[in-house]
Amino acid sequence: MGGKCIKLVLQAAISFRAAPKAIHIAFSQFATVKNQAIPTYKSISRWLTQVGLYKLNCLKEQANDWALIIDNSVQIGVHKFLVILGVRLSKLQGKALTFEDMDVLVMEIHEKSDAKSVCKALEKAQKKVGKVAMVCADDGPDLRGGIILFCNKHKVGRVFDTIHKIGTFLKKLLGKDPAWQAFASAAAEAKRKMQQTQAAHLAPPNQRTKSRFLNIEILVHWGIDIIMALESPKHPDRELLEKYCGWIRQYKELLERLKQMALISQKVRQHIREHGICSTTGDQIDTLLENAMELSNFNEQACEYAGMLIDFFHEQSKVVPVGQIRVGSSEIIESLFGKLKSL
């Protein structure tokens, strides 16, 4: 019973309080088990804590090809939740990482994330697994100093998280673009006007105040869908869209431009998820984007963006030994934080 309860929480994202109710509904349909005792949500929480404590403290496989993924999470207050995940590079087989692939090596709470505390946490993780081959993380100032200290001290390779680099390049290109700023402001204003009306289901997506450029594609795709709906005479919500979103026509050229940049981001992100980074990744990304450029006829800004990414991956490829592979994305730890907050 305990195993089934834990699976409901971890695999089906059911809350602790909802899990016993789900089991009761399922069991009540069968006479042989409908009177069986069902654990309370407190019992499920304790079982899950025990499993987690075991996974954190059990002996890890000793090897010389461990990759570490590190990040901080801050939900409220001043304390930061530092997590280090580990995966054997020899287990990477042309697919995106999943939770099942990862080992949780370190979990710590820090009020201040400085270079010494981050380096110490990485050394603690290395002590558990043997030899670390690489560290993957974003280039945030809360982690940068500690990662550099650890990598220099122990001769470990450093790989920047691709997803955050994509956001950095987009911010560089669009951060001071008046057309983009005006569009983002207009979308936010439309969101406020539409959320309590009949047009609420058509409202723009929320724009994050932090890491906004990591989620630019959602807003771009919304804008493109709205323009297509406005151009369709038979669309059932056309009148509502004219009332609240007619302004979007003036940004049609901008959205077409951003659509190409979103396509570039998507192709690069998927390639790195599935294949990681190796000594030829720069050439692979170059070929990938060149083929996409021939099909989509990229505009000048999209070409500039593609060039930034190609240069970045050529630099990253130089630090990877021939025949080896490195993790190029820390999305898995971001997803883990999201699941934790959901629970």
Side-chain angles (χ1 to χ4, degrees):
M1 179 66 75
K4 293 182 176 64
C5 293
I6 290 173
K7 284 184 177 180
L8 282 174
V9 174
L10 294 182
Q11 297 181 8
I14 294 178
S15 69
F16 292 123
R17 291 178 182 272
K21 297 176 183 178
I23 293 173
H24 171 72
I25 291 171
F27 279 19
S28 64
Q29 308 303 311
F30 305 96
T32 55
V33 293
K34 70 177 183 179
N35 294 321
Q36 184 170 336
I38 297 174
T40 66
Y41 73 92
K42 290 184 178 179
S43 296
I44 297 173
S45 177
R46 284 196 293 269
W47 290 339
L48 191 61
T49 301
Q50 290 171 357
V51 171
L53 188 62
Y54 164 75
K55 292 289 288 182
L56 180 63
N57 293 309
C58 67
L59 294 177
K60 311 299 180 186
E61 189 175 7
Q62 299 293 298
N64 61 359
D65 66 340
W66 279 89
L68 303 184
I69 302 175
I70 180 172
D71 203 359
N72 277 314
S73 178
V74 183
Q75 189 165 13
I76 192 170
V78 298
H79 292 94
K80 296 184 177 182
F81 179 40
L82 178 70
V83 175
I84 301 177
L85 302 181
V87 61
R88 291 278 308 278
L89 291 173
S90 57
K91 294 182 179 180
L92 301 179
Q93 298 181 1
K95 67 179 185 67
L97 292 172
T98 64
F99 291 144
E100 289 75 17
D101 298 323
M102 313 305 296
D103 282 297
V104 180
L105 302 178
V106 174
M107 294 194 306
E108 295 181 350
I109 303 294
H110 296 279
E111 186 170 332
K112 183 179 180 182
S113 182
D114 56 20
K116 288 184 179 180
S117 62
V118 171
C119 181
K120 187 175 180 180
L122 288 167
E123 289 177 335
K124 183 178 178 181
Q126 180 171 244
K127 187 176 180 180
K128 287 187 175 184
V129 299
K131 174 63 178 174
V132 172
M134 62 153 290
V135 177
C136 179
D138 60 50
D139 197 28
D142 56 335
L143 297 174
R144 185 187 302 134
I147 294 174
I148 292 173
L149 185 63
F150 173 79
C151 291
N152 290 341
K153 184 177 179 181
H154 298 279
K155 308 302 180 185
V156 173
R158 164 80 191 277
V159 176
F160 294 103
D161 170 48
T162 299
I163 309 306
H164 283 83
K165 275 297 178 183
I166 285 175
T168 300
F169 293 144
L170 286 173
K171 183 177 181 179
K172 184 176 181 179
L173 290 171
L174 300 174
K176 296 182 179 179
D177 186 332
W180 161 253
Q181 293 176 347
F183 170 71
S185 298
E189 181 63 24
K191 172 76 174 178
R192 288 191 289 270
K193 290 180 178 179
M194 297 169 70
Q195 59 187 0
Q196 298 296 330
T197 70
Q198 291 179 326
H201 63 291
L202 303 169
N206 286 323
Q207 298 182 50
R208 294 173 56 178
T209 55
K210 185 179 180 182
S211 303
R212 176 177 295 184
F213 289 93
L214 296 180
N215 300 274
I216 192 175
E217 295 171 40
I218 300 173
L219 185 59
V220 171
H221 290 151
W222 169 84
I224 292 170
D225 289 343
I226 295 299
I227 287 179
M228 290 176 62
L230 286 168
E231 293 176 348
S232 174
K234 296 183 179 180
H235 195 281
D237 295 314
R238 196 166 185 273
E239 289 186 9
L240 286 173
L241 290 173
E242 286 286 0
K243 179 179 178 180
Y244 291 102
C245 299
W247 53 267
I248 204 170
R249 289 189 177 93
Q250 63 184 301
Y251 297 105
K252 186 174 181 179
E253 185 275 333
L254 170 70
L255 289 169
E256 287 298 325
R257 177 158 44 99
L258 295 178
K259 181 181 178 180
Q260 294 184 351
M261 298 172 75
L263 175 64
I264 292 170
S265 300
Q266 181 183 359
K267 287 186 174 295
V268 169
R269 185 168 55 238
Q270 192 61 32
H271 181 87
I272 299 302
R273 279 175 183 161
E274 295 179 356
H275 303 287
I277 294 179
C278 64
S279 59
T280 60
T281 294
D283 295 330
Q284 293 171 9
I285 296 296
D286 196 344
T287 302
L288 179 72
L289 296 183
E290 185 177 343
N291 292 336
M293 193 179 303
E294 292 176 356
L295 293 174
S296 302
N297 191 23
F298 286 168
N299 58 63
E300 183 179 347
Q301 192 172 41
C303 290
E304 182 182 1
Y305 176 48
M308 287 179 170
L309 290 171
I310 291 170
D311 290 343
F312 167 71
F313 285 109
H314 274 301
E315 289 297 320
Q316 290 287 281
S317 298
K318 292 177 182 178
V319 302
V320 183
V322 176
Q324 296 187 22
I325 189 171
R326 296 288 186 263
V327 175
S329 169
S330 65
E331 283 180 303
I332 188 70
I333 201 168
E334 300 287 355
S335 180
L336 182 67
F337 286 144
K339 189 158 192 173
L340 173 64
K341 291 174 182 178
S342 176
L343 291 175

